[in-house]
Amino acid sequence: MNTDHIVRTFVEYFQDRGHRRITGSTLLSPPGDSVLFTTAGMHPLTPYLEGRPHPLGRRLVNVQRCLRTTDLDEVGDSSHLTVFEMLGTWSLGDYGGSQSIDWGHDLLVNGFGVDPRLLYATVFGGDERSGPDTDSLRTWEERGVPVELTTDENWWSNGPTGPCGPDTEIFVRTGEGPPRSTPTGDDRWVEVWNHVMMRHRRGDDGSLGLLPRPNVDTGLGLERLVAVLQGKRSVFETDLFEPWTRTVPSLWPLDEPSLRLVCDHLRSGIVVIGDGVLPSNTGRGYVLRRLIRRALTTLWRDDPSRTLGDLPRELFQHTLDHFGQSEPGGRVREVFLDEEHRFTRLLERGRRILSRPRFSTPLDEEDYSYLHDTHGLPRDLVRGLRGGTPG
Ligand code: SER
């Protein structure tokens, strides 16, 4: 099953059960939101989870692109990506958690062909916030799926305030040999699907109340699901990254973690530019700048003559097409090249300034402030030029 087939199977399964497909939003979070980018499939739906009626009804399904930079240092392993897609379903005050679990189990086993013996679920075991989620526990037991009870790992929220609630996560066993432990103790259990009983709301004063109606919000990370279904060790080995992993290694020989980081960051950079962001020193533009500069720093570690100008045009277009973005690939490429040029100039200036006698001893706070305020050299970059890795 290739990625398109997997997405279609998911969406049609829920459409057949009365869900309307909503168009995924861009990566830009709605105005007034406290975060810069959409970080979860439910994010653009927050007002509807909080009680506003949705124009398409009470059963929804979608595919939403998301960007998370909280895990930036983990990019390079087999599963972390900065831009990823989330398949999601919602019951806005309609059916309950047991129905959601039932469909989830049926789709994984009968729709996607996952061996039911490879499944494990985690369920909220109860704490001072809320009692144990006995409905989910019973539903899984009826389906013969083993359950691990946890507390913090099974309480979902998208931030300090807003809709939240207990969740149940579905794991699929990967790798060779019998599991060494339950999902929280053996990372060969891969979490594929989260079903959140979104019935609470955390207020600005920290208090926990009930939402006007209980919802169910579910999310599956597409890339991870594809890797599991295609039997791949890592998301980078799936068809989603095929043009990247086919072209980049012959262009720039890199070790495995560096190759993953470069592919991830450049791919994310394309999508962020495709959603209308340009590199800058603040906000969204700064996130984009960091993605491109981190990729360049990795490329230049072995060979400073490498340039993004060598990146095949096919990669720009393939990525923009996959995300349904209309920005011309040639324009995105120009933004990359312009940013590469600025970064090159900044590094040259930084090297010149840091070679002054004043900076021959270890730097103190005053030096860092001076370099930043007078010469526009961020601390990370200065550290990198003095032997670490600019980030
Ligand atoms: N909100 C949950 C998550 O992001 C499910 O959509 O995992």
Side-chain angles (χ1 to χ4, degrees), residues 48-112:
Y48 308 103
L49 291 165
E50 291 186 334
R52 189 194 297 175
H54 194 284
L56 290 183
R58 306 200 320 171
R59 295 184 180 195
L60 306 172
V61 57
N62 90 346
V63 185
Q64 172 65 50
R65 54 179 172 271
C66 306
L67 190 153
R68 286 187 191 169
T69 50
T70 39
D71 300 334
L72 211 52
D73 290 331
E74 297 193 51
V75 172
D77 71 5
S78 61
S79 67
H80 281 89
L81 297 170
T82 46
V83 165
F84 63 98
E85 289 172 277
M86 208 181 255
L87 304 171
T89 63
W90 291 273
S91 157
L92 300 175
D94 192 359
Y95 57 84
S98 296
Q99 176 65 84
S100 184
I101 292 172
D102 230 9
W103 283 335
H105 182 257
D106 179 48
L107 177 57
L108 285 175
V109 173
N110 299 314
F112 291 135

Side-chain angles (χ1 to χ4, degrees), residues 137-156:
L137 180 61
R138 200 191 52 247
T139 311
W140 285 122
E141 281 173 352
E142 282 167 10
R143 295 212 156 38
V145 175
V147 169
E148 176 181 9
L149 294 176
T150 85
T151 50
D152 287 345
E153 311 246 0
N154 283 103
W155 183 270
W156 201 89

Side-chain angles (χ1 to χ4, degrees), residues 39-43 49 66 68 84 86-90 156-158 167 169 191 193-196 198 216-221:
T39 55
M42 53 70 69
H43 198 148
L49 291 165
C66 306
R68 286 187 191 169
F84 63 98
M86 208 181 255
L87 304 171
T89 63
W90 291 273
W156 201 89
S157 65
N158 197 32
D167 66 17
E169 300 181 350
E191 184 212 323
W193 202 342
N194 193 6
H195 293 232
V196 186
M198 203 75 98
V216 186
D217 149 53
T218 84
L220 283 107

